[in-house]
Amino acid sequence: MIRPRSVDHYDEAMQRNGEISLSMPLTALPQVGAKRAAALAGLGVTNLGKLVAYLPVRHERLEAEAEVSQLAANQNISARGQVTATRIVMRTRRPRFEAILVDPSGRLDLVWFNATYLREKIHPGMRLRVQGKAKKFAGGLQLANPKWEVIKEENEPELREARIRPVYPASAAISSAQIEGAIRAGLPVALPLIEDHLDAAYRRKRELPELANAYRMIHAPESEEDAAAGRRRLAYDELLMMQLGVHLKRAHLRQTLKAPALRWSEAIDRHIRERFPFALTAAQDAVVQDLVRDLSSPTPTNRLIQGDVGSGKTVVALYAMLMAVASGLQAAIMAPTEILAEQHYASISRMLEGSKVRVKLLTGATAPAERAVLIEEVAAGGVDILVGTHSLITETVKFASLAVAVIDEQHRFGVFQRAALRSKGIGSGEDNVTPHVLVMTATPIPRTIAVSLFGDLDISTIAGLPPGRHPITTRVVSPEKRAEVYAWVRQRLDRGEQAYIVVPTIDAGVKESEEGETGPGDVRSLLKSLEEGELAGKRLAALHGRLKRSTREAIMERFRSGIIDALIATTVIEVGVDVPNATMMIVEHADRFGLAQLHQLRGRVGRSDKKSVCVLIADPTTDDAKERLAVMAKTTDGFALAEKDLEIRGPGQVFGTQQAGGELFKIADLSRDLDLLKMARRDAAAWIEQSPTLSRPEEKLILRRLVKAHGKWIGLGDVG
Ligand code: ADP
Ligand code: MG
């Protein structure tokens, strides 16, 4: 075999010193100096392996350069030449910057619209390389808004051949082209060192390239197909690893962990239902049936209950918790905010009034002395149902016998959180006993994504709303109409109805509160201006997260009992708050809220048989905001909104799949890789079924990589 001499030398030298490995420093590459290595380190790229794993965000096609006289109209072309003249044309709808580019064979007209800043960058005498789509123009050719780069005369490059160029996330210290240069230098050394964790037969069946080749294809593609095939393999790997983790964990849970099998009988069922002030809807009943089946089996439950805002998830959760209590065991429900925890505590206590069930509340606001006593009580089994905030799971709470744990309003599907909860176990020394876990969300998730991403969850859906609800009318109005809006609010307050008025922030901070037509954007200023103006004489109160818990509880209680007419609040009331007599939701500066947030806010009204209205006051400036508001006015269906949200923001944002430390996926993109995700899911399920612990000798490599990528949340940190 003939290999280039230089590489040979390189290999030998490196191997002799035992230095050639994916963990060798970048300065070991002759082409990478200290300065460049430092710039790469700034991007987290500190060794050869990380260099090769630094992936492009996309690829772009660079056209072959040709002489100007050879260029044809209506094609993507690339040319170089000297700028001979430039000018700005202002008196037009779209001010433009024009330049003339000349090479020995002819002339090309360049124009950039809305880009007068280019006058600072492009000057006569410069040499440029340009690329764009050519059009016939005044007898010659014109490029509109071409890409351009300056050519330095000292080292003018060869005429370029067509190629696909990877585009890397760059920094001020290093450009994408410089990153590409370093990667190209590293590839010949690194690729032979990269072992594949999938064997040839496996790859062939799925038309996946070998791993080293996939890296070559994505960094140095010969064609667009090449780049796509490389990307596909790496995206598949990423999804496969995640799915293997999910299935491995599920298998592990099922085999090694037991949950208490709870008792159920018709008498228990009757006793539980007697506590509810209404009959369950058919949709709620169906979910209760899922739960009864889950909880009466010793296999730990991991169920996601999704239902639109106001669909009545709380009583379903309470049903499950009372099943635990009926078996003499404990239950806990965790909410994302203190207000919501407080509300759950109040409503659960109300429903259980006069029963023997002991319900307690624990939040970040619980006083230390009270907390110490409570924690002891929980550990001794003196509390049946503990209500609290999520922070509760990070507290040092030990349960005597936790059988059912409910995580309410979980929009971020932190696998971490659920893992943390699991480890709470039942706490009585039998290590293998774990609670049943229910996760509740009002963020509907398209089934494919949920099942695939969180394959360890079963899913129940509460379809529809409880009976007797009127649909909520939604209006988007501009700030000039504020006076009319509040005159109308006033009328309805006079009739004994109640309102929420939501603004983006608590106080205006250092900068002056925004005045004039748009109205104040903060709780304090708005409260003041309404008290003195539009709603003078009405009983108003401010509600936000910075108030003391006791103050907040008192305000909520007064609002609930009708002593307060309207709450001026931040989004602390976004999630879960339930006051049926509140029929008006006014959102100021509504363009500053996301779709899911607005839907949650709107869900605070429409909770009785009175007609409810949601008024979004906004003067949207971006297309995005306009679209959100239009969608809100048009639909009240949370599922339809979720789909739309997915379209506008993408799945990562919507489902909070970003984990601490960045995006969950580096290269896979759920908006286009759903098929790949399904394939990875199928493959992972089959694989783990065959080999539930991935401990065959030939699985050593994949297990090692899996632990490295996901060990933390699947609880495999100590394996391998
Ligand atoms: P969410 O699903 O948003 O958490 P909640 O559990 O807060 O909804 O329920 C919303 C409202 O509907 C509450 O006031 C609750 O008491 C009421 N509700 C729930 N189920 C029923 C039912 N079957 N019939 C009548 N009202 C119900
Ligand atoms: Mg709720």
Side-chain angles (χ1 to χ4, degrees):
M1 189 172 77
I2 302 167
R3 295 165 82 199
R5 226 182 124 69
S6 60
V7 173
D8 245 341
H9 278 312
Y10 201 107
D11 277 357
E12 278 167 18
M14 300 295 286
Q15 267 160 355
R16 218 176 18 249
N17 296 328
E19 277 172 7
I20 187 158
S21 79
L22 291 172
S23 53
M24 76 181 201
L26 295 176
T27 43
L29 297 168
Q31 300 90 332
V32 177
K35 199 169 150 218
R36 193 133 303 171
L40 285 163
L43 297 170
V45 177
T46 47
N47 64 31
L48 183 61
K50 289 185 179 164
L51 181 67
V52 176
Y54 196 75
L55 299 177
V57 282
R58 62 191 164 85
H59 293 86
E60 65 185 15
R61 185 178 169 79
L62 296 180
E63 300 299 334
E65 275 179 76
E67 290 193 334
V68 168
S69 62
Q70 305 295 308
L71 302 176
N74 301 322
Q75 283 181 12
N76 285 316
I77 53 135
S78 179
R80 76 172 65 180
Q82 185 147 26
V83 177
T84 57
T86 66
R87 68 167 181 162
I88 283 190
V89 181
M90 289 299 283
R91 287 184 320 281
T92 159
R93 201 162 47 86
R94 293 191 294 166
R96 59 184 190 266
F97 178 78
E98 296 182 347
I100 295 169
L101 192 77
V102 169
D103 81 354
S105 75
R107 125 178 199 173
L108 191 59
D109 285 291
L110 310 175
V111 57
W112 289 269
F113 294 100
N114 297 325
T116 50
Y117 67 91
L118 286 177
R119 111 183 86 183
E120 314 291 333
K121 311 228 162 175
I122 296 176
H123 307 291
M126 263 181 180
R127 290 186 61 71
L128 293 190
R129 172 145 72 186
V130 292
Q131 173 169 324
K133 190 141 185 184
K135 280 215 196 79
K136 280 225 170 64
F137 176 75
L141 283 181
Q142 187 193 56
L143 288 184
N145 302 320
K147 290 196 186 140
W148 59 277
E149 61 188 306
V150 177
I151 296 175
K152 298 240 171 63
E153 279 188 60
E154 320 77 270
N155 47 2
E156 177 140 351
E158 306 270 292
L159 273 198
R160 181 173 73 202
E161 308 206 344
R163 76 176 189 97
I164 309 298
R165 173 166 73 179
V167 180
Y168 295 93
S171 69
I174 188 165
S175 70
S176 172
Q178 289 167 328
I179 295 169
E180 184 187 359
I183 290 177
R184 281 189 173 250
L187 281 180
V189 188
L191 294 187
L193 302 174
I194 294 177
E195 270 182 274
D196 203 329
H197 47 261
L198 301 177
D199 66 38
Y202 188 100
R203 295 194 307 261
R204 203 174 316 117
K205 202 170 144 210
R206 292 160 184 82
E207 298 183 354
L208 296 167
E210 199 197 347
L211 188 56
N213 199 23
Y215 279 111
R216 201 270 306 151
M217 291 164 128
I218 197 161
H219 287 304
E222 276 156 20
S223 64
E224 264 140 23
E225 294 74 43
D226 225 23
R231 198 197 78 86
R232 181 170 173 271
R233 164 71 209 258
L234 297 177
Y236 173 81
D237 271 22
E238 200 174 24
L239 295 166
L240 179 71
M241 287 296 184
M242 159 108 195
Q243 291 300 311
L244 282 173
V246 162
H247 283 90
L248 196 65
K249 187 170 173 208
R250 188 185 175 97
H252 174 75
L253 282 183
R254 285 180 180 258
Q255 278 166 15
T256 61
L257 296 181
K258 292 265 167 292
L262 301 181
R263 284 190 291 148
W264 186 88
S265 66
E266 285 182 6
I268 289 175
D269 179 68
R270 203 173 50 243
H271 279 121
I272 294 177
R273 285 172 195 263
E274 271 167 14
R275 290 277 151 198
F276 301 155
F278 38 68
L280 296 186
T281 63
Q284 286 168 322
D285 259 328
V287 178
V288 163
Q289 266 168 36
D290 288 341
L291 290 179
V292 168
R293 197 173 353 93
D294 284 353
L295 303 184
S296 47
S297 133
T299 304
T301 305
N302 257 322
R303 186 172 290 276
L304 175 71
I305 299 176
Q306 53 174 357
D308 204 351
V309 180
S311 60
K313 294 182 288 293
T314 316
V315 286
V316 171
L318 185 56
Y319 189 105
M321 293 194 283
L322 290 174
M323 265 181 77
V325 178
S327 289
L329 302 171
Q330 293 171 303
I333 178 164
M334 271 151 282
T337 64
E338 288 180 4
I339 289 194
L340 189 50
E342 287 152 14
Q343 177 186 286
H344 278 325
Y345 176 70
S347 76
I348 291 173
S349 303
R350 218 169 23 242
M351 285 192 250
L352 297 180
E353 219 174 294
S355 77
K356 278 182 270 163
V357 184
R358 294 157 300 182
V359 186
K360 284 287 165 71
L361 175 68
L362 174 66
T363 69
T366 308
E370 197 184 328
R371 162 182 321 217
V373 174
L374 184 53
I375 286 175
E376 251 173 58
E377 265 187 304
V378 174
V383 171
D384 299 309
I385 295 179
L386 185 63
V387 182
T389 44
H390 287 167
S391 67
L392 184 140
I393 56 173
T394 58
E395 306 277 342
T396 47
V397 184
K398 265 208 159 262
F399 290 88
S401 62
L402 183 63
V404 171
V406 180
I407 310 179
D408 190 21
E409 299 291 355
Q410 181 74 5
H411 309 301
R412 317 205 128 243
F413 287 82
V415 261
F416 294 130
Q417 269 140 329
R418 280 185 286 122
L421 192 67
R422 278 255 169 261
S423 67
K424 300 251 90 166
I426 203 156
S428 58
E430 304 156 71
D431 283 340
N432 299 337
V433 184
T434 183
H436 297 285
V437 175
L438 305 180
V439 181
M440 306 206 292
T441 181
T443 310
I445 306 173
R447 208 180 166 82
T448 29
I449 294 193
V451 167
S452 302
L453 267 188
F454 311 102
D456 57 337
L457 287 176
D458 296 316
I459 299 179
S460 299
T461 303
I462 303 183
L465 301 177
R469 300 281 175 84
H470 286 298
I472 304 164
T473 311
T474 305
R475 289 269 144 71
V476 181
V477 305
S478 71
E480 297 109 69
K481 299 253 172 76
R482 289 185 71 238
E484 281 170 54
V485 171
Y486 284 108
W488 166 87
V489 169
R490 197 182 177 90
Q491 278 175 16
R492 291 189 59 158
L493 294 182
D494 286 342
R495 281 193 262 146
E497 293 176 31
Q498 290 171 288
Y500 300 100
I501 303 168
V502 174
V503 274
T505 57
I506 300 178
D507 50 37
V510 277
K511 74 176 192 320
E512 279 290 284
S513 147
E514 296 148 75
E515 280 304 334
E517 291 215 311
T518 59
D522 65 276
V523 172
R524 277 177 227 271
S525 314
L526 183 63
L527 178 64
K528 193 154 170 280
S529 96
L530 291 176
E531 260 170 353
E532 292 168 359
E534 293 91 338
L535 299 182
K538 290 288 156 203
R539 294 159 302 178
L540 311 179
L543 187 72
H544 54 75
R546 253 191 259 148
L547 295 174
K548 280 220 308 266
R549 169 180 146 201
S550 51
T551 313
R552 227 165 39 215
E553 267 179 353
I555 293 173
M556 270 322 285
E557 207 31 61
R558 280 160 61 207
F559 186 61
R560 204 184 301 283
S561 57
I563 299 171
I564 290 170
D565 297 315
L567 285 181
I568 322 298
T570 56
T571 51
V572 285
I573 56 138
E574 172 188 334
V575 158
V577 171
D578 184 38
V579 179
N581 192 50
T583 54
M584 290 169 276
M585 169 60 67
I586 317 298
V587 186
E588 295 257 14
H589 299 275
D591 50 318
R592 296 206 219 151
F593 297 90
L595 204 45
Q597 260 181 330
L598 290 174
H599 182 59
Q600 278 286 344
L601 286 172
R602 178 169 59 188
R604 296 310 112 223
V605 295
R607 295 179 161 250
S608 69
D609 52 5
K610 296 202 189 84
K611 257 191 106 40
S612 287
V613 178
C614 172
V615 182
L616 306 174
I617 302 176
D619 185 12
T621 48
T622 66
D623 288 349
D624 219 49
K626 278 181 200 144
E627 195 178 344
R628 280 199 306 271
L629 294 171
V631 172
M632 278 297 293
K634 217 168 57 198
T635 175
T636 50
D637 175 350
F639 277 82
L641 281 170
E643 297 269 315
K644 198 71 205 175
D645 205 19
L646 197 62
E647 220 174 89
I648 302 177
R649 288 194 300 156
Q653 288 276 317
V654 176
F655 303 124
T657 47
Q658 290 112 326
Q659 304 282 353
E663 285 277 342
L664 185 54
F665 298 118
K666 277 203 308 199
I667 182 156
D669 171 0
L670 293 188
S671 51
R672 64 189 212 193
D673 292 329
L674 263 190
D675 285 343
L676 214 49
L677 174 60
K678 285 183 199 156
M679 176 163 113
R681 178 174 161 75
R682 259 197 322 271
D683 290 345
W687 194 325
I688 297 299
E689 182 149 350
Q690 291 282 310
S691 175
T693 53
L694 287 184
S695 45
R696 298 174 185 155
E698 67 272 23
E699 291 167 338
K700 237 191 166 114
L701 185 56
I702 196 161
L703 181 63
R704 202 173 71 219
R705 288 182 179 164
L706 179 61
V707 167
K708 200 167 158 216
H710 299 298
K712 206 152 92 208
W713 66 262
I714 50 181
L716 282 178
D718 45 355
V719 177

